[in-house]
């Protein structure tokens, strides 16, 4: 798998990404245009993401459900902005069971419409509110240019859909879910995302407000990693989602939706990876520790494997995800490279001399070479391993945060903005432009407004484009 | 929800089923023909099924992956029996991204073909074998007559796909997975399934042998609840899945596939449910215990809720899934009925007098009325609850087993077979008929061969139809 060296990030980041994805065995090409196969190693990372999010959703009162894959075409058309936003990307079933369908069925690009219709049935009175539903599902958007995990015709995601009695409650939910995404990204994926609001142009089709978590990849491009939408009453009006209020009036609900997808796997790769391969945060790593036994003959093998099995048992019992690489016919050196490519946080080496001395060697993936290696006693291996894993989790986050902060610059003028973007960095600028201004910046620099970050300076300044005074700064960057 | 009484099983089982599914809030009708919405309470049962199976799959070395939803139409055609079996049920995407596709894409009815193509890439040598993959996914089969969970146009399932070096290894895998299904069904779902082999007519399209677990529902119809297929080399030849053997020859692999779906939710409903609603086995119940607090005024409320919260905390910490029903404006009687409808295994009632006496009332769902009720001390509530839950799990299984055994009869002649089937029971008969004979029995009695059970008499007998001597008995029954 990792016999040949990888393209360096600095040479061609995009090629580096594709090579890593395939050589670390995260995904494989598929025969269907724009789709990839998520291989077991990539899928296990996704399972970690799912578990981390699902736990947080349930702890805040959300329940999972499942809605149909197919949506009658007429539903998509009911919310005007929504149909405009999604029409070019739809895949359509026209035939089924050997016959042409009377009404074509759209393969869901997202489920606001079909869930809106269901909510209008389920919600009668204020007692039914809030309704807090999440769905884990596949969705299809027929994209022209696709890349594994980042943008594929079919992808996996969760989509939350909630209904509330008031605007403020819906807004609180929208922000709560953004916080959950950020908490997951920072604490589980070790990605220091920036929370903020999208500009009008980048809003979800049909939303009142869209919030986002934005992450900086190692090529300094931005990756939108999760979004949370306050849909106002747009979908409630399109799908007649009403409730009987305590006042005895019929009122429209206020709805939200929020989604995070397999794109997060790409974010993990591009936030932490280096020229040797993946670097996985321990909380999401399918294997947190890989043990490579080292021996020359059967006598050595016996003694080494006894120790290896004993240590594996201890780590296993402690809930550490541990794997023994006992592949025959592969040298330790090959195995070291292979697990570096796959980004396993800790490698444990055990040879005959280690057994004699009751030692093991632990090598950290995040600190290259000798500096990251240490001899440890086999006694108390669980405590040492746990502490190192916690340390690696922090250190990946700190690395990424330092990198990000070094590459966001305040720009006081449009010239400065251009320079910062031309450098490849993110520009933080006072902004009060309209859609056209935003498009003009995009045309000239390739950068878009990633968000108006929640973290604002708190004092007014001058918009770098319109010259108007404003309270708000925006982050501009080139993005995936 | 459960204000009105339900149709009795004895009156109209099919109507009973539909009423229970909707009134226990397992599912809701959807706007898409043949599809239902799986509501949170139903989806949680499915999550329990997934967790129980996924754990077993991983413990036997299987890994999850994800393959595309869409399959090029030409793939489906590559295995002759396969295309014949599935063609009438396919849903086809002909347009995407605003254009007509050059090759239509089939929405997967099952993934042998697309996974076969991937396996032919992934497998090079005997070192790559066995390859043990599972996928959790949605599939679509355009069925004409649909029923929630039992048969829907779209359903959720897992499909395992494995490749092996030899026939015998593939056969062992096929049987191992059937054992896993049976172990799950018996121990988690409390459904006493019968393991056996399908007749040639009922085999999976393209398989060498199909094994099944068959369950008896409360109307005595059979429900095929999970199948495991030895595909021989049929798909390996159609998709060129070959490996370099140690002998240095190129050999075709031997492949298997096995699947279990949301149909299992229907099996749980129809195996355990009674005229008051669901009865859920504790291991799959979203809530194992529901606490109904009883009070008349705020003083009582305070004392009762203190005790309720304390007990909830203790049960929660012990890993018991517990829910407090604190809905305002609903009487305890209403709540009792509602939770009976939803099949919660244990109901705990706590009123002011219970608080005074440090007691609680526990009512078992599986034993109706006073007989199932007991006063227990609040001290040691965890131990009592656990023991009752374990007892209910066993008692549901024993109930179902006794029911099943009472309704399977040996039939020594075709006349006897007809009588047994006419009674609504299952007939166990010596069978050596061919496809035509099997069809003749079906036409006359409505019964099909559910399986040749693994549990065989071990002595020869005379086929009830052809009169030939044979070693094998088959189970005939009417089925879903």
């Amino acid at each position: 798998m990792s016999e040949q060296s990888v393209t360096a990030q600095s040479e061609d980041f995009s090629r580096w990404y594709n090579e890593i994805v395939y050589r670390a065995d995260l995904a494989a090409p598929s025969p269907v245009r724009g789709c990839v196969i998520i291989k077991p190693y990539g899928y296990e990372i996704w399972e970690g993401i799912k578990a981390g999010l699902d736990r947080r959703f349930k702890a805040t009162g959300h329940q999972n459900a499942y809605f149909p894959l197919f949506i009658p075409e007429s539903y998509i058309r009911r919310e005007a902005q929504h149909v405009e936003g999604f029409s070019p990307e739809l895949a359509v079933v026209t035939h089924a069971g050997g016959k042409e369908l009377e009404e074509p069925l759209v393969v869901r690009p997202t489920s606001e419409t079909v869930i809106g219709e269901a909510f209008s049935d389920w919600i009668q009175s204020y007692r039914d509110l809030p309704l807090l539903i999440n769905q884990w599902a596949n969705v299809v958007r027929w994209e022209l240019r696709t890349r594994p995990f980042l943008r594929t015709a079919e992808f996996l995601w969760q989509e939350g859909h909630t209904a509330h009695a008031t605007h403020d409650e819906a807004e609180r939910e929208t922000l709560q879910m953004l916080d959950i995404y950020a908490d997951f990204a920072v604490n589980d994926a070790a990605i220091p995302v920036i929370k903020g609001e999208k500009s009008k142009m980048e809003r979800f089709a049909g939303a009142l407000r869209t919030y986002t978590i934005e992450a900086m990849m190692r090529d300094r491009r931005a990756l939108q990693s999760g979004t949370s939408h306050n849909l106002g009453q747009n979908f409630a009006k399109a799908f007649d989602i009403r409730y009987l209020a305590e006042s005895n009036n019929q009122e429209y609900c206020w709805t939200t939706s929020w989604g995070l997808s397999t794109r997060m796997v790409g974010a993990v790769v591009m936030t932490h990876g280096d020229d040797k391969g993946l670097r996985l945060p321990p909380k999401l790593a399918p294997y947190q520790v890989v043990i490579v036994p080292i021996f020359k003959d059967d006598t050595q093998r016996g003694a080494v494997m006894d120790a290896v099995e004993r240590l594996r048992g201890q780590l296993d019992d402690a809930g550490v995800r541990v794997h023994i690489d006992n592949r025959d016919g592969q040298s330790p050196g090959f195995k070291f490279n292979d697990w570096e490519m796959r980004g396993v946080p800790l490698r444990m080496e055990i040879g005959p001399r280690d057994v004699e001395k009751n030692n093991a060697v632990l090598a950290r993936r995040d600190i290259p070479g000798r500096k990251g290696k240490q001899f440890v006693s086999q006694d108390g291996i669980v405590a040492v391993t746990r502490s190192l894993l916690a340390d690696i989790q922090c250190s990946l986050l700190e690395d990424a945060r330092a990198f990000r902060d070094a590459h966001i610059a305040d720009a006081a003028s449009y010239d400065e903005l251009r320079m910062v973007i031309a450098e490849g960095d993110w520009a933080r600028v006072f902004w009060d432009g309209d859609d056209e201004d935003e498009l003009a910046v995009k045309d000239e620099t390739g950068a878009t407004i990633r968000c108006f970050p929640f973290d604002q300076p708190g004092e007014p300044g001058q918009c770098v484009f319109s010259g108007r005074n404003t309270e708000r700064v925006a982050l501009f960057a080139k993005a995936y």
Side-chain angles (χ1 to χ4, degrees), chain A residues 66-73 75-76 91-93 95-96 101 104-108 113-114:
Chain A
Y66 189 77
F67 296 83
L69 170 68
F70 297 133
I71 302 178
E73 209 175 37
Y75 278 44
I76 303 278
V92 187
V93 173
H95 291 72
L101 296 171
L105 294 171
V106 165
V107 184
R108 66 181 159 220
T113 57
V114 69

Side-chain angles (χ1 to χ4, degrees), chain A residues 12-19 21-22 34-36 143-154 219 221 263 266 270 480:
Chain A
D12 184 341
F13 191 84
S14 169
R15 211 164 127 190
W16 169 86
Y17 177 76
N18 282 326
E19 287 177 9
V21 161
Y22 293 124
C35 296
V36 294
E143 305 270 5
L144 282 178
R145 290 171 51 196
T146 60
R147 303 191 64 191
F149 297 113
L150 301 181
R151 181 169 275 113
T152 46
E154 180 192 8
D219 62 351
R221 278 185 188 258
R263 176 170 249 217
M270 293 199 295
Y480 280 94

